[in-house]
């Protein structure tokens, strides 16, 4: 985390401790090297990190599903129609 961002957060949180693992901002989201560094430097947060990773993957899968559904079904009915079609049970 950059110093100016850390200082802003510390100012906003007051006495609440701010954990900064000192990892440079050169990694992509969920890059394996970044995840390994986070697990190494923040072991007490490993379960929390694993949960966040799983949630992120589920959200990505849902977004991909919706995009594919909108492309397939939504071509004729539009995006809102496709979203509504997803919520109507198949009979």
């Amino acid at each position: 985390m950059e110093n100016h961002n850390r200082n802003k957060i510390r100012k906003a949180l007051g006495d609440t401790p701010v954990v900064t693992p000192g990892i440079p901002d050169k990694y992509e989201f969920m890059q394996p090297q970044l995840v390994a560094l986070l697990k190494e430097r923040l072991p007490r947060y490993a379960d929390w990190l694993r949960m966040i990773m799983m949630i992120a993957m589920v959200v990505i899968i849902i977004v991909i599903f919706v995009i594919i559904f909108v492309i397939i079904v939504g071509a004729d009915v539009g995006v809102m129609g496709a979203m509504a079609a997803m919520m109507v049970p198949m009979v």
Side-chain angles (χ1 to χ4, degrees):
M1 177 182 297
E2 297 169 350
N3 285 334
H4 69 276
N5 290 331
R6 184 174 50 244
N7 293 337
K8 284 180 187 177
I9 291 172
R10 284 188 175 150
K11 184 178 178 182
L13 294 177
D15 293 334
T16 304
V18 177
V19 177
T20 56
I23 298 173
D25 189 18
K26 66 178 187 177
Y27 298 99
E28 294 293 323
F29 177 71
M30 301 306 293
Q31 187 173 340
Q33 294 88 347
L34 173 61
V35 174
L37 277 171
L38 288 168
K39 286 180 180 179
E40 173 188 316
R41 296 186 185 184
L42 303 170
R44 66 186 263 201
Y45 300 102
D47 290 336
W48 179 81
L49 179 62
R50 190 174 300 112
M51 182 183 68
I52 295 299
M53 289 171 29
M54 290 177 64
I55 291 170
M57 288 189 304
V58 168
V59 168
I60 290 169
I61 290 168
I62 290 171
V63 167
I64 290 170
F65 173 76
V66 169
I67 290 171
I68 291 170
F69 190 85
V70 167
I71 289 171
I72 293 171
V73 175
D76 293 328
V77 296
V79 174
M80 294 308 291
M83 296 299 283
M86 288 175 53
M87 303 203 184
V88 175
M90 298 292 247
V91 181

